[in-house]
Amino acid sequence: MTGFAALLKNDIKLFFKDWKAVMLLILMPFAFIAFFAYALTPFLNKSSFIEPFDIALVDKEDTAQTRILARQLEEIGIFREIFRVDESRAKEMISDNLVASAIIIPEDFSASVAVGENKPVTVIGNKAMPLQSFVVKNLIQSAANIVSAGQSAINTIYYYNQKAGMSAEELQKQFEESTMKIVLEAIARNEVFSYIESTPVYNLTPVEYFTAALITVFLMFAGMPGMKMLVMERSYGVTKRIEASPVKLWQVVMSKFIVTVILSVVQFLVIIVLTSIVFKNYWGAPVKNILILFAGIIFAVSSWSIFVSAISKTPASADIIGNLSVLLMAMVGGSIYPLSSMPRFIREASKFTINRWAMEGFMVIFSGDRSLSVANYFYVLIAIGLVLLILSTVILRLRRR
């Protein structure tokens, strides 16, 4: 093992010779996490399909029934503020782009619904805000459709009650109750959008989310110097000379792997310390879970580095392939843009990336839920690493022939 120790010592010296580049690799993850959190947190905090907007409400009837309708509109989360004004002021606000739409409730609206006349509610849209106007129009149209359909139900109820021999007083009571029920159903339109959870939801802060997303990206960058060293040694004929020495080829690879692990561990510890102190990230998960997940990531990243070095003929091609594959896996794996917002085929493809499983594993850790395990993510990362190692071995043997 003397030859291996000498090789490892030499690799460490070469690797850390450019200490400025090493410091950049160690500190850049924290800088990027801070930048992403600052720049993109507003997008994560959006809770609706479109941002809340203002509308104007003109209530020409101004009765208890129409005030109920106004109250229902106020409870719809998509409306930021509802201005109760007269018709002329509502049109002025639309002209000045102060509101997206104006809803005008006509006089005797409730009475018209009760007798089946159904006076129309007018919606005036703002052409400068077409999407918002369309939402308001469809909201009112939906309520009108329910009222129109409900008239048939009301008439049916009245007809059968009359056939059943109810008194005039009882008929009127049942009529009013059925009418009010239909009206309330029409105006109780709080659920404008429905939300479907397609992925597990963890209680994470934006910084914790971006930490989980970006850690793997920078661990992959940390593996690139060792990968380039392997390619350079092979292209310059150093590998062939080493093969003639007592040092075995696997020891050469293992030496680069150890150097990469040293850099990755330092990088990871810096991220833990800085994010916990500056951003108060939760790192209180069992140490065993953190170590297991980190070990799986390191194995997968190192295997990826060896694979890239195996298919690269020159240091320049290793740079191109390495950087492009890091960017591609970051995109497809959800490190840059949430997977839940991507097309289905991208979500399926993400299952073959290191980033997807590493990110979800860290999200489990940051969630603070001790009932969740990172073992599944560890197994998948090991499987990905083994596949890459097998492919690397096959490629290297074919090249040696």
Side-chain angles (χ1 to χ4, degrees), residues 176-332:
E176 291 176 357
E177 287 181 359
S178 59
T179 300
M180 184 55 64
K181 181 179 180 181
I182 294 297
V183 172
L184 289 176
E185 183 179 352
I187 63 179
R189 308 295 291 166
N190 292 347
E191 297 296 333
V192 179
F193 298 111
S194 61
Y195 298 88
I196 300 174
E197 301 294 350
S198 58
T199 54
V201 178
Y202 305 109
N203 186 24
L204 273 63
T205 65
V207 179
E208 288 172 342
Y209 173 82
F210 287 116
T211 301
L214 295 175
I215 280 180
T216 309
V217 176
F218 284 98
L219 288 176
M220 294 180 79
F221 278 120
M224 289 187 64
M227 169 194 70
K228 287 182 63 177
M229 288 171 67
L230 283 171
V231 177
M232 289 177 64
E233 289 176 358
R234 189 174 67 238
S235 61
Y236 295 151
V238 176
T239 304
K240 290 185 177 179
R241 292 196 295 270
I242 290 176
E243 288 177 353
S245 69
V247 178
K248 303 297 182 182
L249 183 60
W250 68 267
Q251 292 178 324
V252 176
V253 176
M254 181 59 67
S255 175
K256 306 299 186 296
F257 172 76
I258 293 174
V259 173
T260 300
V261 169
I262 292 172
L263 177 61
S264 299
V265 169
V266 174
Q267 189 182 67
F268 189 59
L269 290 175
V270 169
I271 291 173
I272 291 176
V273 172
L274 291 181
T275 55
S276 60
I277 293 175
V278 178
F279 299 123
K280 309 301 181 183
N281 278 17
Y282 175 78
W283 288 99
V287 176
K288 179 186 71 173
N289 287 348
I290 298 175
L291 292 178
I292 287 174
L293 183 63
F294 181 69
I297 296 171
I298 289 297
F299 178 75
V301 168
S302 300
S303 301
W304 164 80
S305 299
I306 295 170
F307 176 74
V308 173
S309 67
I311 62 177
S312 304
K313 294 183 178 180
T314 63
S317 64
D319 259 336
I320 295 172
I321 296 172
N323 286 311
L324 287 179
S325 58
V326 170
L327 179 60
L328 181 63
M329 279 200 275
M331 287 292 296
V332 176

